[in-house]
Amino acid sequence: MTALFLIVLYCSIFYWWMNRSSFFEIKGLTKSSIYLIFLIKVAVGVSYGFIHMHYFGGGDTCLYFEASEIIYNTFLEHPSYYIQSILGEKLPMPSEDVFEYPRREIFWKDFGTYALVHLHAILHLFTFGYYSVFIVYIAIISLYASVIFYKIFRTYLDIPKAALVFFCFFLPSLLFWTSGFHKDVFVYLGLSLLLLGITNQQTNPRKAIGSIIGGLVIVALARYYLIALLFPATLAYWWSLHRPKHVIANFVSVYALFSFVAIILELFVLPFSFIDVITTRQHEFLATFGNSNIEGVPALSNSLVGILLIIPTAIVNVFCRPFLWECQDILQFFASVEIMAFLGLIIATFVVPKKQLNPSSKPLMSFLFFYAISNLILIGILVSNVGTIVRYRAIALGFLAMLLLNILDFQKIKIFNKTPIRKLPKNKAPKEKEEMTMV
């Protein structure tokens, strides 16, 4: 009963705040419909926890939750341990009863997990240790990010409203994996702030810089290796605003430059090799036991040639699995249906593409494409477990789906008879600045 009371209380407070916030004033969406989406996210998040606890033996979700609870329980007796450990210091344990914080080596090896459990330890002050109450906070974060993406895509892309609402708020894998107790929702939030910043560079440069930095920091706290993929995409987007006639060339040039710099750093500066890091991580994933491990995935040889040879397998794994005949549970079945629908969307864009795309959408489309493809290929190279692939790829697939929807001519296939949302003047930033604010 206490958990239910807290859920109702916090949901009511959020409803009160939402009705007074200009952030949720969105053309085409009522605040009641946005609040309904929030409640759906809460329900999905609770289901996420129930499924993991009762059908998958807990998994990372339960381990993270239990670790955050143990850290919280040390606050009163050993308050300094929290501060010292979050800074990655090596700590002698005063007794066996105190939670043994992860070894210092884990601080950088699995920094996202380290940050996650320490952040959620603080939230125990407000949730009183109830998992379902945690989900309310996660649903607020997820909704906030989804609304930002909706505003951005509505402003810059030419997608019918119904399709935009579904893919921003109800895309199954994205809705599920960003509603639970895990790192994905923070990656989702960080990317939304980053994208908000880079699309606002021309209209509000000062706020744009803050949003970009904030987004990168949040992504780094969850999965710091994604920063290596986001830096070139962000720089290429910025360059394309000043050189709009050569968007694709801008992105290719920036990625080539980053590749060259990475080689120079590896040869003459860094004490480690990027290939060694990728190989080690892939071997660790291969050694991890799971019911949905993919059989026959070759271990990487410690060479660039080995990475190049595994890319075709990586593409098949990340863009096609799980195959229907491989599905072992209902979640894998839904993931299989979703990836088949995504492949169908790719085919549809080749069959009925728009004759002409709005030039002002090209920098954003290129950002979505280059970041999503690089992320998906990296996932395919490293990960050999279907369940993990499905979770890791959810956000990137959502980006590619938006790209494909912008290319698809809905009027030709007569799915939507309404006029597209709107078309922007050539190479001009949108006028609806009020929809692109963070407050």
Side-chain angles (χ1 to χ4, degrees):
M1 289 298 294
T2 304
L4 181 60
F5 170 77
L6 289 172
I7 291 173
V8 172
L9 174 63
Y10 290 142
C11 287
S12 300
I13 293 172
F14 175 71
Y15 181 74
W16 174 85
W17 174 73
M18 188 190 76
N19 279 312
R20 285 157 179 76
S21 172
S22 61
F23 175 77
F24 294 101
E25 292 175 357
I26 308 170
K27 289 183 179 180
L29 286 179
T30 65
K31 289 192 175 181
S32 296
S33 63
I34 296 172
Y35 188 69
L36 177 60
I37 293 170
F38 165 72
L39 293 179
I40 291 172
K41 285 181 177 290
V42 172
V44 172
V46 173
S47 301
Y48 179 103
F50 181 85
I51 290 170
H52 279 77
M53 291 175 189
H54 294 277
Y55 292 97
F56 298 140
D60 289 345
T61 292
C62 289
L63 291 175
Y64 295 162
F65 183 75
E66 291 168 2
S68 67
E69 186 174 28
I70 296 171
I71 293 173
Y72 167 72
N73 289 333
T74 67
F75 280 176
L76 294 179
E77 280 191 75
H78 307 282
S80 63
Y81 269 67
Y82 181 87
I83 303 299
Q84 289 176 283
S85 69
I86 206 169
L87 296 175
E89 294 184 21
K90 187 175 182 180
L91 304 174
M93 295 299 109
S95 74
E96 294 181 0
D97 296 331
V98 178
F99 171 63
E100 186 172 344
Y101 288 88
R103 298 186 308 276
R104 191 178 185 184
E105 311 87 77
I106 300 177
F107 181 78
W108 289 113
K109 182 179 178 182
D110 203 355
F111 182 68
T113 300
Y114 207 90
L116 182 71
V117 295
H118 280 79
L119 170 64
H120 283 286
I122 298 174
L123 291 180
H124 276 274
L125 293 168
F126 308 99
T127 64
F128 297 91
Y130 291 105
Y131 177 88
S132 54
V133 183
F134 268 95
I135 295 304
V136 176
Y137 291 96
I138 292 172
I140 293 172
I141 294 171
S142 180
L143 178 68
Y144 185 82
S146 295
V147 168
I148 291 176
F149 281 125
Y150 178 84
K151 290 179 177 181
I152 293 171
F153 296 143
R154 183 186 181 277
T155 302
Y156 287 90
L157 303 183
D158 180 20
I159 302 172
K161 176 186 169 182
L164 191 61
V165 168
F166 177 80
F167 279 84
C168 283
F169 298 106
F170 300 110
L171 189 64
S173 62
L174 197 54
L175 173 64
F176 184 77
W177 294 112
T178 60
S179 297
F181 189 96
H182 222 294
K183 291 175 276 190
D184 303 273
V185 68
F186 295 101
V187 174
Y188 193 49
L189 173 65
L191 288 173
S192 71
L193 293 175
L194 173 64
L195 208 56
L196 177 64
I198 64 176
T199 53
N200 273 349
Q201 288 178 70
Q202 291 181 311
T203 57
N204 198 334
R206 186 172 297 179
K207 283 188 176 180
I209 293 174
S211 182
I212 290 171
I213 295 174
L216 289 173
V217 168
I218 293 172
V219 171
L221 287 173
R223 293 199 176 103
Y224 63 87
Y225 59 86
L226 292 179
I227 299 300
L229 307 181
L230 288 169
F231 265 129
T234 302
L235 179 60
Y237 188 103
W238 174 82
W239 193 19
S240 295
L241 294 178
H242 302 278
R243 194 170 175 255
K245 293 184 179 180
H246 309 282
V247 175
I248 301 299
N250 296 341
F251 274 80
V252 172
S253 300
V254 169
Y255 272 81
L257 175 63
F258 266 74
S259 299
F260 175 75
V261 170
I263 293 172
I264 296 300
L265 289 175
E266 181 171 323
L267 290 176
F268 302 106
V269 179
L270 297 176
F272 61 87
S273 165
F274 292 114
I275 294 176
D276 288 344
V277 173
I278 292 173
T279 302
T280 301
R281 291 296 289 166
Q282 195 252 7
H283 290 178
E284 290 174 351
F285 273 111
L286 283 175
T288 303
F289 174 78
N291 294 329
S292 58
N293 281 359
I294 302 171
E295 296 181 2
V297 175
L300 280 175
S301 59
N302 197 9
S303 66
L304 178 60
V305 173
I307 292 176
L308 293 176
L309 289 177
I310 205 174
I311 286 179
T313 302
I315 291 173
V316 171
N317 288 343
V318 83
F319 281 102
C320 300
R321 291 182 184 273
F323 299 119
L324 271 177
W325 58 88
E326 292 180 336
C327 295
Q328 301 175 12
D329 54 59
I330 191 66
L331 283 181
Q332 288 188 18
F333 172 77
F334 285 140
S336 180
V337 172
E338 183 183 55
I339 198 65
M340 287 191 294
F342 177 79
L343 294 174
L345 182 59
I346 294 177
I347 295 171
T349 57
F350 281 100
V351 176
V352 282
K354 289 187 179 78
K355 289 184 178 179
Q356 187 174 4
L357 296 174
N358 196 313
S360 63
S361 69
K362 288 183 179 179
L364 177 59
M365 290 177 64
S366 299
F367 177 94
L368 297 176
F369 177 80
F370 277 85
Y371 168 73
I373 291 296
S374 61
N375 189 11
L376 289 169
I377 291 177
L378 181 63
I379 293 167
I381 291 172
L382 295 179
V383 184
S384 53
N385 180 281
V386 170
T388 307
I389 287 175
V390 171
R391 177 164 59 85
Y392 278 21
R393 77 185 178 193
I395 298 174
L397 278 186
F399 281 2
L400 286 185
M402 285 299 166
L403 174 67
L404 295 170
L405 290 172
N406 191 55
I407 297 173
L408 185 64
D409 193 332
F410 284 89
Q411 291 185 331
K412 281 185 181 178
I413 55 179
K414 299 181 180 180
I415 291 180
F416 296 91
N417 293 321
K418 295 181 180 180
T419 305
I421 294 171
R422 66 199 182 93
K423 292 185 178 180
L424 296 172
K426 246 185 178 182
N427 298 329
K428 289 186 179 180
K431 294 181 180 180
E432 297 182 22
K433 297 180 185 178
E434 72 278 3
E435 287 198 12
M436 301 299 290
T437 59
M438 294 172 57
V439 296

